[in-house]
Amino acid sequence: MLETRNIEIYYGKIMVVRGLSIKVQKGEIRAILGANGAGKSTTLKTIMGYLDDQPEKGTIWFNDKRIDRLKTEQIVPLGIAYVPEGREVFPELTIRENLIMGAYTRSGDCSAEIDRVFNYFPVLKDRLKQQAGTLSGGEQQMLAIGRALMSKPALMILDEPSLGLSPLLVTEIFDIIRTINQEGMTILLVEQNARKALSVAHHAFIMETGRIVLEGPPDKLMKNEDVQEFYLGMQ
Ligand code: ATP
């Protein structure tokens, strides 16, 4: 469904993504794991067309369409939604208004989508008219995921969904990510919480300084000594 082929990304003269090739298959959850600064967020932003510069080299494909020269507003309607690191909800707008913003690429009534979001996140329904800025971190993450669902994407891309959340909320968010996937959504996520990510993913990539150094299904990765030591804190 999504494929990057050998992409290189620079900030100025510094190459932060060094020939990265990943594939995301329809129906799966795939995770990119890696330390701070490995280039994970940069990769996601590039896929979404958020950076000023396009990849210096390589190509990005979504459903056999080349997207690495497109702008974000052309990419979203193709069926990709993005939940940025730090959620970035609109703090002054209510929950309802934030959700409606998520549907901006679609015309017509979006009440069925709003109901679907409330089905996943009942807590949001109770606070429909509350300003998003007054929500807790966990609730804002739910709202950010809900807003992404509003565009009815085929692929959802999440940057660090666990960031800053309590362990209980992390579990809740990952349970919902799994449910959304089981109901048909393909998901690519970036995570520093390797244990959680591997518990939901079908396949994961280990990224170090701009490169994929290892990839495979979670059970294979969890047997790898380096993964155990550096990502799972074992030993
Ligand atoms: P994190 O989890 O901390 O976000 P990451 O793996 O997502 O880490 P990136 O945010 O993609 O890493 O950053 C990769 C490298 O690019 C880092 O060395 C970072 O300092 C650098 N970088 C990120 N954004 C910019 C920018 N706008 N301008 C210049 N350098 C940047």
Side-chain angles (χ1 to χ4, degrees):
M1 176 179 261
L2 178 77
E3 184 174 358
T4 70
R5 292 186 195 151
N6 209 22
I7 51 172
E8 286 183 3
I9 306 161
Y10 287 75
Y11 286 119
K13 288 191 174 154
I14 301 171
M15 199 203 294
V16 293
V17 172
R18 304 161 175 266
L20 180 113
S21 298
I22 60 168
K23 276 187 193 171
V24 182
Q25 312 278 16
K26 190 172 182 330
E28 284 191 341
I29 300 179
R30 292 205 161 193
I32 305 176
L33 314 179
N36 266 332
K40 308 179 298 296
S41 299
T42 302
T43 301
L44 299 190
K45 287 179 192 159
T46 300
I47 294 169
M48 292 310 296
Y50 270 131
L51 298 180
D52 293 339
D53 295 330
Q54 291 148 344
E56 194 84 7
K57 271 196 191 154
T59 55
I60 305 175
W61 301 80
F62 180 63
N63 286 337
D64 299 324
K65 182 179 169 67
R66 189 168 165 189
I67 62 167
D68 54 270
R69 295 285 180 264
L70 302 184
K71 296 187 178 10
T72 308
E73 53 271 30
Q74 297 169 303
I75 294 172
V76 174
L78 296 176
I80 310 183
Y82 174 58
V83 182
E85 184 173 353
R87 351 316 173 192
E88 294 179 19
V89 297
F90 302 105
E92 308 290 327
L93 301 186
T94 65
I95 289 184
R96 187 166 191 283
E97 289 162 344
N98 265 277
L99 291 176
I100 289 170
M101 294 294 274
Y104 75 99
T105 54
R106 304 177 48 232
S107 54
D109 181 30
C110 52
S111 49
E113 269 62 62
I114 293 187
D115 284 347
R116 182 167 168 235
V117 171
F118 290 154
N119 218 5
Y120 290 129
F121 305 110
V123 65
L124 297 181
K125 189 173 185 176
D126 304 335
R127 298 167 185 218
L128 202 57
K129 294 189 179 145
Q130 192 171 323
Q131 281 191 331
T134 64
L135 296 174
S136 71
E139 289 160 351
Q140 289 192 18
Q141 185 59 269
M142 294 176 191
L143 179 57
I145 296 173
R147 186 180 56 187
L149 288 170
M150 292 295 294
S151 64
K152 288 182 96 179
L155 169 67
M156 201 154 88
I157 294 183
L158 299 112
D159 195 349
E160 298 262 2
S162 79
L163 194 77
L165 302 185
S166 69
L168 207 64
L169 270 168
V170 172
T171 300
E172 198 176 322
I173 293 284
F174 272 89
D175 283 348
I176 290 168
I177 289 172
R178 188 189 275 126
T179 305
I180 292 171
N181 167 254
Q182 284 166 348
E183 293 178 0
M185 182 78 64
T186 306
I187 293 174
L188 172 64
L189 58 89
V190 149
E191 254 304 334
Q192 288 205 36
N193 187 333
R195 204 174 283 278
K196 267 291 168 212
L198 291 174
S199 75
V200 299
H202 301 96
H203 186 102
F205 305 94
I206 308 284
M207 187 165 181
E208 282 174 15
T209 54
R211 286 196 182 90
I212 302 299
V213 292
L214 194 66
E215 71 171 285
D219 52 351
K220 177 184 151 198
L221 294 182
M222 282 191 280
K223 285 187 196 128
N224 180 287
E225 280 185 13
D226 288 341
V227 174
Q228 288 181 358
E229 184 175 349
F230 297 113
Y231 296 95
L232 301 173
M234 287 155 75
Q235 223 96 162

